[in-house]
Structure formats: C-alpha cells, structure tokens
Amino acid sequence: MVKGKGRIFYIEILRAISIIAVIIIHISASETLVSFTTTNIKYWWIQNIFDSLARWSVPVFVMISGALLLNPAKQEPIGMFLKKKGLKMLIPFFVWGLFYLILSASVNLDSLTVKYIIRGFIEGPMYYHMWFMYMIIALYAITPLLKNIILNSNQDKILYLLLIIFISVSLIDLIEKFTSLRVNNFFTIKPLGGFIGYFILGYYLHTFSFSKVAQKAIYFGAVVSALIIPIGTYYLTSKNNGQLDVYLYDYTNPFVLLISMAIFLAIKNVKWAPNPKNYGTKMILAVSSTSFGIYLVHPFVMYCLNRFNLHIFSEVFNPLIRVPLVTLIVLVISIVAVKVLKKIPYIKNIVP
C-alpha cells in the first residue's frame, strides 16, 4: 500500500495503465481501421496491433471494481451501498450523458428536443464511450447480491461459477464464430454476463493465489492470444471483403480474457515498493486518481483536438508515431481538465 493513503498500489498501477490503454483504443480505432481495401495496409496493421494489444483495458477496469467491491468482509446495508455508490455513478451518468447528447446533436445537426434527450438516455449510449456507464451501473446494482454469493461460497464454488460464465459467454461465442453450430440461447447470458464474470474474476484473482504452473499457463496463453487477436482480425477481415471484423476485439472473447488475467496477475505479483516522494509513484497516482474522470472527458478532448486539423491528428499521419503521441497529449490534457474540475464545488461530483 501507499503509506497514509490506504491504497493498494498494484490496483493503482492497473487503473493507470488501463485508462491509457482505453485512450489508445479510441485513437487507433479510426476510419483507417474500418477497411484495408481503401487505406494504407501498413497503417492498417499498425492500428490493428495497437487496438488488439489494448483490449484488456476495460476488462481490467471491471476486475478492479470486483476486487474492491466484492470483499465479503465489507458488509453494509443495501440502501447505504446504493446511496453511496449509486450517486457516485448516476450524477456523472446524467451530466455527461446530457453533455454528449448536446455535442452529438450539434455535430449531426439534430434537433435537441426533450424527446431526443429521453430517447438518447433510454436507447443509449449517448456517445461511443458511454456504454461503459450503463454496464458499470448495472454491476453496481447487483453488487450486494453478488457479495452475498461470495460470502456463502468457498474458492471452488466461485471458480465453478466463473467456469459456467466462461462457457456461456466466451466459449459458446467462439464455437459459433468458427463453426456452423448454433447454440440454443438458453445457454447464453450475454451481454452483461461477461462483465459479471470479469467482476467476480477480479475478486478471485485479488483474493486467491495461483500455482506457478497455473500462472505460467496463463502467461503463455496471453502471449499466444496477443498473436491470435491481430493476425486473426486480419484473417477475419479479409474473409469479410476487407471490412473490419471486430469479433476478436470483443472484450468477452477467450483471448482478451487470457490477456486481461495475465496483466492483472503480472502487476499483482510484483513486490512494489512505492515511495510517495518518487516521481514515478506520483505520476501513477496522478493518472490513477483521475482515471474515471479521464474516461468521461477524454473523448471531448479528442473531439476538440481534431477540430484544429493539425497534421499529427490526421489519419494519414503514420500511426506508429500518431497513436502514442496523441495518446500522451490527450492523457495530459484530460488529467489537467479533471484536476481543475475536481477543485470546483459541486462540479467535482461529475468526475468522482
């Protein structure tokens, strides 16, 4: 832990690198990636690799939440939990949701009516990244029930539950993608089920230890998966007449799952010795403490930067330079914006 802060340092590192990976996804997922029949194939491959290798970001975010919220030792009344966590999520959801609906209406030249706003919230997402808010609010809503299941289960039962979720979400999807078999919908629990799995998995990985053999198997699977995702995406896209096939980008497929587990375990297993006075520690905590706010604000930062029409933000610029550089620029501006918002009374509640 970071002394005096009550923080679990490996969790802080996971938060920091996860939000950076999210920004990488949103920058690399440009129009150039949509099709390799109308773009520079070299640039397509670079963006495909960036996107493929950052797909663990959202699963790890969900796993962090599960690791912290599903601790059965921290029992509290449902009403108190929902009041504390619900407000923390709902205020940003409605404020940023309205903000991005207004932005979308202005960009698309739509009429901003009450009907437009209500439909935007109900049908959602209001902007491409806001789907995460619907998912995390749903997970928070069922957290008291999941915590009760955890409380009354041993390690084997939790592992059994994770196995059921893996089969019904990831494995069945994989079978249907690459074979002619179609599994009865009765056996599937998507879309929320996969994230419930990550939520519980975060608690499991945080709480229980793995043998060295099991860890090596997970790391080996992650390395293989890191090759399968970009190469497989090229193969599937070529079979799709050059139009991007995003199956292997899906957060709940087995390959993203393996990489997410490996990242979580690798960071957890390092014996960190954080020094609050150390520059590296300060940077990690600066990013981690603003990560949720960064998630909410960074698409607007990207939108504003694109309005400048600078060459570095153009999709014709080499993505090997553009993606890391623009990621850094967006990250720094977003951190500053969030820190400023956090200092303003009441407004600070929209970037918890």
Side-chain angles (χ1 to χ4, degrees), residues 176-230:
E176 290 189 337
K177 180 66 178 180
F178 294 102
T179 72
S180 59
L181 293 174
R182 291 297 174 264
V183 180
N184 190 292
N185 286 338
F186 179 79
F187 294 102
T188 63
I189 55 173
K190 292 186 76 170
L192 183 60
F195 290 105
I196 292 175
Y198 278 124
F199 201 58
I200 298 172
L201 181 61
Y203 167 79
Y204 189 91
L205 297 181
H206 177 62
T207 306
F208 302 109
S209 300
F210 284 74
S211 68
K212 289 185 178 181
V213 173
Q215 289 185 49
K216 287 180 180 179
I218 291 170
Y219 295 147
F220 177 77
V223 171
V224 173
S225 296
L227 296 173
I228 288 175
I229 295 175

Side-chain angles (χ1 to χ4, degrees), residues 38 44 78 85 115 189 195 209 221 225 327 329:
T38 57
W44 184 93
I78 292 178
K85 296 297 182 182
K115 181 179 179 181
I189 55 173
F195 290 105
S209 300
S225 296
T327 295
I329 294 171

Side-chain angles (χ1 to χ4, degrees), residues 43 45 48 68 78 112 127 155-156 168 186 199 217 239 250-251 262 286 302 348:
Y43 286 4
W45 263 109
N48 175 35
L68 298 177
I78 292 178
L112 189 66
Y127 213 65
Q155 182 177 357
D156 289 341
S168 63
F186 179 79
F199 201 58
K239 298 283 284 186
D250 190 282
Y251 296 121
M302 290 171 59
K348 65 183 179 182

Side-chain angles (χ1 to χ4, degrees), residues 141-157:
I142 63 173
T143 291
L145 302 177
L146 293 176
K147 185 180 287 189
N148 194 55
I149 293 173
I150 296 294
L151 179 63
N152 293 286
S153 301
N154 58 24
Q155 182 177 357
D156 289 341
K157 288 180 180 178

Side-chain angles (χ1 to χ4, degrees), residues 75-88 144:
Q75 292 294 326
E76 57 186 334
I78 292 178
M80 183 181 297
F81 173 83
L82 294 179
K83 181 180 179 180
K84 184 171 63 176
K85 296 297 182 182
L87 287 176
K88 183 179 179 180

Side-chain angles (χ1 to χ4, degrees), residues 13-22 24-25 49-64 198 226 229 248-251 255-264 267:
I13 295 174
L14 286 173
R15 274 206 193 100
I17 62 175
S18 292
I19 192 58
I20 294 170
V22 166
I24 288 173
I25 289 175
I49 291 171
F50 271 124
D51 206 322
S52 297
L53 299 185
R55 284 284 152 178
W56 51 268
S57 55
V58 169
V60 168
F61 263 133
V62 177
M63 290 160 69
I64 290 170
Y198 278 124
I229 295 175
L248 291 172
Y249 285 175
D250 190 282
Y251 296 121
F255 309 110
V256 173
L257 169 62
L258 277 169
I259 296 174
S260 303
M261 290 179 66
I263 295 287
F264 195 101
I267 300 299

